[in-house]
Amino acid sequence: MKQIFDEYRRWFVVLGLMLIYAASNGITVHTLPLLYPPLIEEFGWSSSQMTLPAAAFFIFGAVTSPPAGALFDRFPVRRVMLVGVMGLVLSLMCFPFISALWQMVTLYLIFGLALSLCGLTASMVILTKWFDDMRGRATGLLLMSSSFGGAVFPLILGAGIENLGWRQAIGGVSIAAALMTLPALFFLVSDRSIDTAGTSNMGVRQDLLAKPALGPTFIEAIKSPTFYLLAFATGAMWFTIVALTQHQSIYLVKDIGIDGSILPKVFSVFFACSVIGKFGFGLLSDYVNKEISMVCSICLLTIGLMIVRSVTSDGIDWLFTYAVIAGIGFSGTFTTIQLLVAKHFAGGSYGKILASIVMIDSLAGGIGTRVVGKMRDASGSYDTGWELLIALCVIAIFCTVIIRRLGHESDTTEIQDITE
């Protein structure tokens, strides 16, 4: 049994990271927006007020990402993650007691700090240590776990809201978060890819373990045009993805007028399909160029945005069609973003570089949430907001194509240097 565990140790690490990510992002990013309609009804907040905590969450997460990245490069990542997990669980347990907007903003600020310490950056740093071969599959599995959380927790929260009220419902979800994250962190996650006693490398080849120590330094990375193109493309996509996920519940219930009982089902289909998108595009990226994978996923997301912009309360079939297409596109884009960063910048400074990209992306997500909310309040409609998101998708496609061309030219130059 021990030999089997040793051989497949890195997959147990992935499982632990998946459980943590399913609870952290699956709840804070994908499930809590279900509370927006009942909170608006109870407190009378506007769309921009209701999404202010989410905007603060992403912006504060952006500010805290670079310091967190430096911690990941200097200290055992698992210890840093423990602080984040405890902050996340405790703040979720406080959520049922909010009675004012400033209290909700405060909790979301704690969420932002917690996810900087135990969220995507921490998980990707650990995963990159364990994987070079099959990194796309491992990344797809990790990222699809948040979508799994987004598929399951909305059904739980929706049933709780309907039967118990939103306060009791989110209280139950917070307990589930604690049960998922803490045992996974203590018993499955390890940020050491080789045993300190030198016994076993857990089925990972020594040459693959050594490879991530190479790669560009932080200074070299920020001097590269690829860094800025990638940051702009991923920032545009985070602007789009976060604005969409944070506003779709308000749009569908308040603007389109769908029945509130249908909303959890739409969310569940959206995030269930994003499980397919994350693993599917992760697997695809192991076989085809990662820039091509990203372009394909953005195209799907663009189609989904076009559908949701024109959907009506009578078009329930189209609503679920949107959930399928946009769910796959949004998740595929999210996955290929992480793989592109690892492809171009994995190495000894990967934590700092990834944290910088995450900072830019999180800022863009927070700004996107705020801008689309303000546009809706000003015009009384989300139409202009959806058009802005579609335009950003097109721009991101062009940036990704340029990154592909730069990478191709770099590969050609290296081959010529070797032959000479």
Side-chain angles (χ1 to χ4, degrees):
M1 184 68 182
K2 184 179 183 301
Q3 291 179 343
I4 296 176
F5 180 78
D6 286 348
E7 184 178 356
Y8 295 102
R9 175 67 183 276
R10 59 179 178 169
W11 294 107
F12 283 97
V13 173
V14 173
L15 175 61
L17 295 174
M18 288 174 64
L19 290 171
I20 295 170
Y21 199 52
S24 59
N25 276 55
I27 294 173
T28 58
V29 178
H30 301 327
T31 302
L32 290 184
L34 266 181
L35 294 174
Y36 293 173
L39 287 173
I40 289 174
E41 184 176 348
E42 180 170 334
F43 297 112
W45 296 332
S46 67
S47 298
S48 59
Q49 286 177 312
M50 186 65 260
T51 53
L52 174 62
F57 162 73
F58 285 104
I59 292 172
F60 191 63
V63 172
T64 55
S65 285
L71 291 177
F72 300 146
D73 287 336
R74 185 173 181 181
F75 299 104
V77 183
R78 183 169 170 271
R79 294 181 186 177
V80 180
M81 290 184 72
L82 177 60
V83 178
V85 167
M86 291 301 298
L88 174 70
V89 169
L90 291 175
S91 54
L92 278 173
M93 289 182 174
C94 292
F95 203 102
F97 303 102
I98 65 168
S99 58
L101 184 60
W102 71 266
Q103 295 171 341
M104 188 171 175
V105 170
T106 301
L107 289 181
Y108 267 77
L109 291 175
I110 300 173
F111 291 154
L113 176 60
L115 262 66
S116 292
L117 300 176
C118 71
L120 178 61
T121 304
S123 296
M124 284 301 298
V125 169
I126 290 179
L127 185 146
T128 303
K129 290 181 179 180
W130 285 91
F131 288 88
D132 192 339
D133 63 321
M134 296 189 289
R135 183 184 291 164
R137 272 163 277 194
T139 302
L141 285 170
L142 170 64
L143 297 182
M144 81 176 190
S145 63
S146 69
S147 297
F148 177 78
V152 173
F153 283 113
L155 296 178
I156 297 173
L157 185 62
I161 292 172
E162 188 172 350
N163 296 307
L164 302 173
W166 70 266
R167 296 183 188 273
Q168 290 81 1
I170 192 60
V173 168
S174 69
I175 296 173
L179 294 176
M180 286 182 66
T181 55
L182 292 172
L185 186 62
F186 283 118
F187 299 112
L188 294 174
V189 175
S190 171
D191 57 336
R192 292 178 295 178
S193 54
I194 185 165
D195 187 78
T196 54
T199 54
S200 172
N201 67 358
M202 313 304 185
V204 187
R205 297 199 326 260
Q206 292 283 356
D207 59 322
L208 295 180
L209 291 173
K211 188 175 180 180
L214 306 175
T217 65
F218 180 75
I219 299 300
E220 291 171 342
I222 62 175
K223 290 181 179 179
S224 165
T226 299
F227 177 88
Y228 295 98
L229 285 166
L230 188 56
F232 191 87
T234 62
M237 294 319 303
W238 268 64
F239 187 108
T240 301
I241 290 169
V242 175
L244 174 63
T245 56
Q246 292 301 311
H247 284 279
Q248 64 178 347
S249 62
I250 302 173
Y251 170 70
L252 294 175
V253 173
K254 297 297 182 181
D255 287 16
I256 301 302
I258 70 168
D259 191 290
S261 62
I262 298 177
L263 188 61
K265 298 176 183 177
V266 175
F267 267 52
S268 184
V269 170
F270 182 90
F271 290 110
C273 289
S274 72
V275 172
I276 299 171
K278 286 180 177 177
F279 183 73
F281 275 95
L283 181 61
L284 180 65
S285 295
D286 281 337
Y287 296 100
V288 303
N289 180 269
K290 292 175 177 56
E291 286 85 358
I292 294 175
S293 297
M294 185 166 174
V295 168
C296 292
S297 63
I298 297 174
C299 287
L300 286 175
L301 178 59
T302 306
I303 294 171
L305 286 167
M306 291 177 176
I307 293 174
V308 77
R309 186 190 180 284
S310 58
V311 75
T312 64
S313 59
D314 297 329
I316 299 299
D317 291 341
W318 279 109
L319 184 60
F320 283 100
T321 301
Y322 148 75
V324 172
I325 295 176
I328 294 173
F330 130 80
S331 58
T333 302
F334 192 72
T335 301
T336 50
I337 285 173
Q338 314 312 318
L339 293 172
L340 274 180
V341 176
K343 171 185 175 180
H344 291 283
F345 300 112
S349 298
Y350 177 62
K352 295 185 185 70
I353 297 169
L354 178 60
S356 298
I357 295 290
V358 170
M359 178 189 72
I360 295 168
D361 293 347
S362 299
L363 279 172
I367 294 170
T369 300
R370 196 72 179 144
V371 167
V372 172
K374 286 290 186 180
M375 292 174 73
R376 196 268 185 187
D377 286 348
S379 65
S381 170
Y382 275 107
D383 287 349
T384 307
W386 298 149
E387 291 168 1
L388 172 61
L389 301 187
I390 291 169
L392 287 173
C393 287
V394 174
I395 294 172
I397 289 174
F398 280 109
C399 289
T400 307
V401 171
I402 296 172
I403 292 171
R404 166 60 177 156
R405 291 182 64 87
L406 288 175
H408 180 72
E409 291 173 1
S410 176
D411 292 342
T412 303
T413 302
E414 290 179 4
I415 292 172
Q416 290 175 345
D417 290 341
I418 293 172
T419 55
E420 292 174 357

